[in-house]
Amino acid sequence: MHVPDGFINAPVSAVTGVVAAGAVAVSLRGARRELDEKTAPLAGLVAAFIFAVQMLNFPVAAGTSGHLLGGALAAILVGPYTGVLCVSVVLLMQGILFADGGLTALGVNITDMAITTTVVAYALFRGLVKVLPRTRRSITVASFVAALLSVPAAALVFTAIYALGGTTDVPIAKVLTAMVGVHVLIGIGEAVITALTVGAVIAVRPDLVHGARGLTAPLKLRVGGELVDAPAAAPAAARTRSTKKVWGIGIVTALVLAGFVSFYASASPDGLEKVAHDKGIDAKTKSHATSDSPLADYSVKDIGDARLAGGLAGVIGVGVTVVVGSGVFWAVRRHRTEPAPERTPEAV
């Protein structure tokens, strides 16, 4: 759903740029409360993982493919504010290095792919976990549903933006029907990837999943024929658990996906590209400002082997994204606002 330059006119692109900038500013402040010594490195990893999985287009219909948007996954793993920043970092790297998503359309893409998906998914997720049983399986189920619905929500927002500032004269009803229809199918793939990833992390380190905090029912012990709550694990012990193993497995997985598995991804146009071509939305598409980038179209120039060129570009993308993302999140972490200590009667 990366919108290129030329789909949306300059005034509306500027407005979405202001909206995106405001949302990123709010997210930078909100992320200070979400990030700690464990989740700051995990957030950089989440951004790199989203970048890698977005290279894996999967077929959804004849001649159409889809890929992960990532807002739901990021919000559930590291929090909604940090999630917006994760997807925004990915979009920035894709636009600058790989000529994927227009630079003048960056505000549109952040508004649509980062803000909309994250807000919608996390709101649905929190609503579901409140009514479902307090179990890990419920978190996975809620992740599936939230991710599924976040994708057509993004399609709706794109249609609204196009209705306000589209550069071609295409009936909005046709755009809406086509966009929502294909992105419901893409949402199924998004839901599967999100649920599998969240479930895998919960299985090994539930303490690292933002959306799982405080949701696990206390362990029960039978004492004298009655069930009582087991003593809670010491918080200090939980804080000392290293994230190095999870981080290492995650980065290796992202590198393998981007550097090897991506070669076998579907070559069909994604949902937006297909709809834009079929309906004529792309009639005034402009050439990308970084189309001459050595990594444009996810391929390293001057390397004749397509598999090697694409794989190397993917590995570079994962590396750059994890470095930039980690740098951003560590900087935010350093400015973390700690809760004020409670005042005791003696201190009053």
PDB file of all heavy atoms in Angstrom, residues 306-334:
ATOM      1  N   ALA A 306      20.235 -11.772 -10.331  1.00  0.00           N
ATOM      2  CA  ALA A 306      19.051 -11.172  -9.708  1.00  0.00           C
ATOM      3  C   ALA A 306      18.859 -11.657  -8.279  1.00  0.00           C
ATOM      4  O   ALA A 306      18.489 -10.885  -7.388  1.00  0.00           O
ATOM      5  CB  ALA A 306      17.809 -11.480 -10.543  1.00  0.00           C
ATOM      6  N   ARG A 307      19.108 -12.935  -8.029  1.00  0.00           N
ATOM      7  CA  ARG A 307      18.921 -13.482  -6.688  1.00  0.00           C
ATOM      8  C   ARG A 307      19.907 -12.851  -5.709  1.00  0.00           C
ATOM      9  O   ARG A 307      19.541 -12.460  -4.602  1.00  0.00           O
ATOM     10  CB  ARG A 307      19.097 -14.997  -6.711  1.00  0.00           C
ATOM     11  CG  ARG A 307      18.917 -15.642  -5.348  1.00  0.00           C
ATOM     12  CD  ARG A 307      18.997 -17.152  -5.425  1.00  0.00           C
ATOM     13  NE  ARG A 307      17.992 -17.701  -6.330  1.00  0.00           N
ATOM     14  CZ  ARG A 307      17.726 -19.004  -6.425  1.00  0.00           C
ATOM     15  NH1 ARG A 307      18.365 -19.861  -5.649  1.00  0.00           N
ATOM     16  NH2 ARG A 307      16.812 -19.429  -7.267  1.00  0.00           N
ATOM     17  N   LEU A 308      21.167 -12.750  -6.132  1.00  0.00           N
ATOM     18  CA  LEU A 308      22.184 -12.155  -5.269  1.00  0.00           C
ATOM     19  C   LEU A 308      21.912 -10.671  -5.040  1.00  0.00           C
ATOM     20  O   LEU A 308      22.029 -10.172  -3.919  1.00  0.00           O
ATOM     21  CB  LEU A 308      23.569 -12.342  -5.888  1.00  0.00           C
ATOM     22  CG  LEU A 308      24.747 -11.723  -5.116  1.00  0.00           C
ATOM     23  CD1 LEU A 308      24.836 -12.328  -3.721  1.00  0.00           C
ATOM     24  CD2 LEU A 308      26.043 -11.933  -5.892  1.00  0.00           C
ATOM     25  N   ALA A 309      21.517  -9.957  -6.129  1.00  0.00           N
ATOM     26  CA  ALA A 309      21.261  -8.514  -6.017  1.00  0.00           C
ATOM     27  C   ALA A 309      20.091  -8.236  -5.080  1.00  0.00           C
ATOM     28  O   ALA A 309      20.150  -7.329  -4.236  1.00  0.00           O
ATOM     29  CB  ALA A 309      20.981  -7.933  -7.397  1.00  0.00           C
ATOM     30  N   GLY A 310      19.029  -9.010  -5.204  1.00  0.00           N
ATOM     31  CA  GLY A 310      17.872  -8.814  -4.338  1.00  0.00           C
ATOM     32  C   GLY A 310      18.142  -9.219  -2.900  1.00  0.00           C
ATOM     33  O   GLY A 310      17.748  -8.518  -1.958  1.00  0.00           O
ATOM     34  N   GLY A 311      18.834 -10.339  -2.722  1.00  0.00           N
ATOM     35  CA  GLY A 311      19.143 -10.797  -1.375  1.00  0.00           C
ATOM     36  C   GLY A 311      20.060  -9.842  -0.637  1.00  0.00           C
ATOM     37  O   GLY A 311      19.862  -9.544   0.544  1.00  0.00           O
ATOM     38  N   LEU A 312      21.070  -9.330  -1.356  1.00  0.00           N
ATOM     39  CA  LEU A 312      21.997  -8.391  -0.731  1.00  0.00           C
ATOM     40  C   LEU A 312      21.284  -7.096  -0.365  1.00  0.00           C
ATOM     41  O   LEU A 312      21.527  -6.521   0.710  1.00  0.00           O
ATOM     42  CB  LEU A 312      23.162  -8.107  -1.676  1.00  0.00           C
ATOM     43  CG  LEU A 312      24.284  -7.217  -1.136  1.00  0.00           C
ATOM     44  CD1 LEU A 312      24.866  -7.799   0.141  1.00  0.00           C
ATOM     45  CD2 LEU A 312      25.379  -7.033  -2.194  1.00  0.00           C
ATOM     46  N   ALA A 313      20.380  -6.631  -1.230  1.00  0.00           N
ATOM     47  CA  ALA A 313      19.608  -5.422  -0.921  1.00  0.00           C
ATOM     48  C   ALA A 313      18.751  -5.634   0.324  1.00  0.00           C
ATOM     49  O   ALA A 313      18.637  -4.747   1.176  1.00  0.00           O
ATOM     50  CB  ALA A 313      18.721  -5.049  -2.111  1.00  0.00           C
ATOM     51  N   GLY A 314      18.157  -6.814   0.433  1.00  0.00           N
ATOM     52  CA  GLY A 314      17.350  -7.111   1.619  1.00  0.00           C
ATOM     53  C   GLY A 314      18.175  -7.115   2.891  1.00  0.00           C
ATOM     54  O   GLY A 314      17.756  -6.577   3.924  1.00  0.00           O
ATOM     55  N   VAL A 315      19.348  -7.721   2.834  1.00  0.00           N
ATOM     56  CA  VAL A 315      20.235  -7.765   4.004  1.00  0.00           C
ATOM     57  C   VAL A 315      20.667  -6.349   4.393  1.00  0.00           C
ATOM     58  O   VAL A 315      20.684  -5.992   5.581  1.00  0.00           O
ATOM     59  CB  VAL A 315      21.461  -8.648   3.713  1.00  0.00           C
ATOM     60  CG1 VAL A 315      22.525  -8.477   4.803  1.00  0.00           C
ATOM     61  CG2 VAL A 315      21.053 -10.111   3.606  1.00  0.00           C
ATOM     62  N   ILE A 316      21.010  -5.531   3.406  1.00  0.00           N
ATOM     63  CA  ILE A 316      21.390  -4.144   3.686  1.00  0.00           C
ATOM     64  C   ILE A 316      20.223  -3.400   4.323  1.00  0.00           C
ATOM     65  O   ILE A 316      20.389  -2.649   5.289  1.00  0.00           O
ATOM     66  CB  ILE A 316      21.847  -3.436   2.396  1.00  0.00           C
ATOM     67  CG1 ILE A 316      23.157  -4.053   1.893  1.00  0.00           C
ATOM     68  CG2 ILE A 316      22.020  -1.931   2.633  1.00  0.00           C
ATOM     69  CD1 ILE A 316      23.584  -3.549   0.521  1.00  0.00           C
ATOM     70  N   GLY A 317      19.026  -3.619   3.782  1.00  0.00           N
ATOM     71  CA  GLY A 317      17.848  -2.947   4.324  1.00  0.00           C
ATOM     72  C   GLY A 317      17.585  -3.319   5.770  1.00  0.00           C
ATOM     73  O   GLY A 317      17.281  -2.452   6.602  1.00  0.00           O
ATOM     74  N   VAL A 318      17.694  -4.600   6.091  1.00  0.00           N
ATOM     75  CA  VAL A 318      17.505  -5.040   7.471  1.00  0.00           C
ATOM     76  C   VAL A 318      18.551  -4.406   8.373  1.00  0.00           C
ATOM     77  O   VAL A 318      18.247  -3.901   9.468  1.00  0.00           O
ATOM     78  CB  VAL A 318      17.579  -6.579   7.564  1.00  0.00           C
ATOM     79  CG1 VAL A 318      17.665  -7.027   9.034  1.00  0.00           C
ATOM     80  CG2 VAL A 318      16.360  -7.209   6.913  1.00  0.00           C
ATOM     81  N   GLY A 319      19.814  -4.399   7.909  1.00  0.00           N
ATOM     82  CA  GLY A 319      20.882  -3.826   8.716  1.00  0.00           C
ATOM     83  C   GLY A 319      20.696  -2.347   8.982  1.00  0.00           C
ATOM     84  O   GLY A 319      20.828  -1.883  10.125  1.00  0.00           O
ATOM     85  N   VAL A 320      20.377  -1.593   7.928  1.00  0.00           N
ATOM     86  CA  VAL A 320      20.191  -0.148   8.090  1.00  0.00           C
ATOM     87  C   VAL A 320      18.981   0.140   8.978  1.00  0.00           C
ATOM     88  O   VAL A 320      19.029   1.019   9.843  1.00  0.00           O
ATOM     89  CB  VAL A 320      20.024   0.530   6.714  1.00  0.00           C
ATOM     90  CG1 VAL A 320      19.647   1.998   6.886  1.00  0.00           C
ATOM     91  CG2 VAL A 320      21.304   0.416   5.903  1.00  0.00           C
ATOM     92  N   THR A 321      17.907  -0.596   8.781  1.00  0.00           N
ATOM     93  CA  THR A 321      16.692  -0.358   9.561  1.00  0.00           C
ATOM     94  C   THR A 321      16.902  -0.649  11.038  1.00  0.00           C
ATOM     95  O   THR A 321      16.457   0.114  11.903  1.00  0.00           O
ATOM     96  CB  THR A 321      15.525  -1.210   9.024  1.00  0.00           C
ATOM     97  OG1 THR A 321      15.316  -0.916   7.642  1.00  0.00           O
ATOM     98  CG2 THR A 321      14.247  -0.917   9.791  1.00  0.00           C
ATOM     99  N   VAL A 322      17.602  -1.739  11.346  1.00  0.00           N
ATOM    100  CA  VAL A 322      17.810  -2.070  12.759  1.00  0.00           C
ATOM    101  C   VAL A 322      18.750  -1.060  13.412  1.00  0.00           C
ATOM    102  O   VAL A 322      18.571  -0.696  14.589  1.00  0.00           O
ATOM    103  CB  VAL A 322      18.337  -3.514  12.923  1.00  0.00           C
ATOM    104  CG1 VAL A 322      19.806  -3.629  12.564  1.00  0.00           C
ATOM    105  CG2 VAL A 322      18.106  -4.007  14.345  1.00  0.00           C
ATOM    106  N   VAL A 323      19.733  -0.557  12.653  1.00  0.00           N
ATOM    107  CA  VAL A 323      20.652   0.434  13.220  1.00  0.00           C
ATOM    108  C   VAL A 323      19.930   1.758  13.460  1.00  0.00           C
ATOM    109  O   VAL A 323      20.011   2.343  14.547  1.00  0.00           O
ATOM    110  CB  VAL A 323      21.867   0.639  12.294  1.00  0.00           C
ATOM    111  CG1 VAL A 323      22.679   1.860  12.732  1.00  0.00           C
ATOM    112  CG2 VAL A 323      22.752  -0.599  12.293  1.00  0.00           C
ATOM    113  N   VAL A 324      19.209   2.242  12.447  1.00  0.00           N
ATOM    114  CA  VAL A 324      18.491   3.513  12.582  1.00  0.00           C
ATOM    115  C   VAL A 324      17.393   3.388  13.636  1.00  0.00           C
ATOM    116  O   VAL A 324      17.242   4.257  14.514  1.00  0.00           O
ATOM    117  CB  VAL A 324      17.892   3.951  11.228  1.00  0.00           C
ATOM    118  CG1 VAL A 324      17.001   5.181  11.412  1.00  0.00           C
ATOM    119  CG2 VAL A 324      19.001   4.248  10.228  1.00  0.00           C
ATOM    120  N   GLY A 325      16.619   2.311  13.562  1.00  0.00           N
ATOM    121  CA  GLY A 325      15.540   2.125  14.526  1.00  0.00           C
ATOM    122  C   GLY A 325      16.059   2.028  15.953  1.00  0.00           C
ATOM    123  O   GLY A 325      15.537   2.678  16.864  1.00  0.00           O
ATOM    124  N   SER A 326      17.093   1.227  16.163  1.00  0.00           N
ATOM    125  CA  SER A 326      17.661   1.082  17.506  1.00  0.00           C
ATOM    126  C   SER A 326      18.199   2.410  18.021  1.00  0.00           C
ATOM    127  O   SER A 326      18.044   2.739  19.204  1.00  0.00           O
ATOM    128  CB  SER A 326      18.767   0.022  17.499  1.00  0.00           C
ATOM    129  OG  SER A 326      18.254  -1.250  17.152  1.00  0.00           O
ATOM    130  N   GLY A 327      18.832   3.179  17.125  1.00  0.00           N
ATOM    131  CA  GLY A 327      19.336   4.485  17.539  1.00  0.00           C
ATOM    132  C   GLY A 327      18.220   5.408  17.995  1.00  0.00           C
ATOM    133  O   GLY A 327      18.339   6.086  19.026  1.00  0.00           O
ATOM    134  N   VAL A 328      17.123   5.422  17.235  1.00  0.00           N
ATOM    135  CA  VAL A 328      15.980   6.254  17.601  1.00  0.00           C
ATOM    136  C   VAL A 328      15.409   5.822  18.946  1.00  0.00           C
ATOM    137  O   VAL A 328      15.153   6.645  19.839  1.00  0.00           O
ATOM    138  CB  VAL A 328      14.889   6.188  16.513  1.00  0.00           C
ATOM    139  CG1 VAL A 328      13.591   6.836  17.006  1.00  0.00           C
ATOM    140  CG2 VAL A 328      15.361   6.851  15.234  1.00  0.00           C
ATOM    141  N   PHE A 329      15.229   4.522  19.126  1.00  0.00           N
ATOM    142  CA  PHE A 329      14.571   4.040  20.340  1.00  0.00           C
ATOM    143  C   PHE A 329      15.474   4.154  21.572  1.00  0.00           C
ATOM    144  O   PHE A 329      14.981   4.399  22.676  1.00  0.00           O
ATOM    145  CB  PHE A 329      14.078   2.608  20.135  1.00  0.00           C
ATOM    146  CG  PHE A 329      13.049   2.509  19.045  1.00  0.00           C
ATOM    147  CD1 PHE A 329      13.214   1.653  17.971  1.00  0.00           C
ATOM    148  CD2 PHE A 329      11.914   3.307  19.074  1.00  0.00           C
ATOM    149  CE1 PHE A 329      12.277   1.580  16.961  1.00  0.00           C
ATOM    150  CE2 PHE A 329      10.967   3.246  18.065  1.00  0.00           C
ATOM    151  CZ  PHE A 329      11.151   2.379  17.007  1.00  0.00           C
ATOM    152  N   TRP A 330      16.761   4.008  21.408  1.00  0.00           N
ATOM    153  CA  TRP A 330      17.653   4.220  22.547  1.00  0.00           C
ATOM    154  C   TRP A 330      17.671   5.691  22.948  1.00  0.00           C
ATOM    155  O   TRP A 330      17.738   6.025  24.137  1.00  0.00           O
ATOM    156  CB  TRP A 330      19.062   3.741  22.218  1.00  0.00           C
ATOM    157  CG  TRP A 330      19.262   2.283  22.495  1.00  0.00           C
ATOM    158  CD1 TRP A 330      19.535   1.300  21.598  1.00  0.00           C
ATOM    159  CD2 TRP A 330      19.188   1.635  23.774  1.00  0.00           C
ATOM    160  NE1 TRP A 330      19.625   0.081  22.224  1.00  0.00           N
ATOM    161  CE2 TRP A 330      19.427   0.251  23.559  1.00  0.00           C
ATOM    162  CE3 TRP A 330      18.939   2.079  25.068  1.00  0.00           C
ATOM    163  CZ2 TRP A 330      19.425  -0.675  24.596  1.00  0.00           C
ATOM    164  CZ3 TRP A 330      18.941   1.157  26.117  1.00  0.00           C
ATOM    165  CH2 TRP A 330      19.183  -0.196  25.867  1.00  0.00           C
ATOM    166  N   ALA A 331      17.623   6.575  21.933  1.00  0.00           N
ATOM    167  CA  ALA A 331      17.571   8.008  22.254  1.00  0.00           C
ATOM    168  C   ALA A 331      16.288   8.347  23.001  1.00  0.00           C
ATOM    169  O   ALA A 331      16.307   9.117  23.983  1.00  0.00           O
ATOM    170  CB  ALA A 331      17.673   8.826  20.969  1.00  0.00           C
ATOM    171  N   VAL A 332      15.176   7.779  22.567  1.00  0.00           N
ATOM    172  CA  VAL A 332      13.907   7.997  23.269  1.00  0.00           C
ATOM    173  C   VAL A 332      13.980   7.407  24.672  1.00  0.00           C
ATOM    174  O   VAL A 332      13.509   8.008  25.640  1.00  0.00           O
ATOM    175  CB  VAL A 332      12.738   7.365  22.475  1.00  0.00           C
ATOM    176  CG1 VAL A 332      11.441   7.439  23.278  1.00  0.00           C
ATOM    177  CG2 VAL A 332      12.565   8.065  21.133  1.00  0.00           C
ATOM    178  N   ARG A 333      14.576   6.233  24.784  1.00  0.00           N
ATOM    179  CA  ARG A 333      14.696   5.565  26.083  1.00  0.00           C
ATOM    180  C   ARG A 333      15.482   6.421  27.072  1.00  0.00           C
ATOM    181  O   ARG A 333      15.165   6.471  28.263  1.00  0.00           O
ATOM    182  CB  ARG A 333      15.393   4.206  25.886  1.00  0.00           C
ATOM    183  CG  ARG A 333      15.870   3.523  27.166  1.00  0.00           C
ATOM    184  CD  ARG A 333      14.712   3.008  27.976  1.00  0.00           C
ATOM    185  NE  ARG A 333      15.185   2.423  29.236  1.00  0.00           N
ATOM    186  CZ  ARG A 333      15.283   3.071  30.375  1.00  0.00           C
ATOM    187  NH1 ARG A 333      14.950   4.346  30.444  1.00  0.00           N
ATOM    188  NH2 ARG A 333      15.697   2.459  31.464  1.00  0.00           N
ATOM    189  N   ARG A 334      16.511   7.107  26.608  1.00  0.00           N
ATOM    190  CA  ARG A 334      17.331   7.936  27.489  1.00  0.00           C
ATOM    191  C   ARG A 334      16.531   9.088  28.091  1.00  0.00           C
ATOM    192  O   ARG A 334      16.870   9.599  29.146  1.00  0.00           O
ATOM    193  CB  ARG A 334      18.530   8.494  26.726  1.00  0.00           C
ATOM    194  CG  ARG A 334      19.577   7.460  26.357  1.00  0.00           C
ATOM    195  CD  ARG A 334      20.747   8.103  25.666  1.00  0.00           C
ATOM    196  NE  ARG A 334      21.390   9.093  26.525  1.00  0.00           N
ATOM    197  CZ  ARG A 334      22.356   9.915  26.120  1.00  0.00           C
ATOM    198  NH1 ARG A 334      22.766   9.881  24.863  1.00  0.00           N
ATOM    199  NH2 ARG A 334      22.888  10.773  26.961  1.00  0.00           N
TER     200      ARG A 334
END
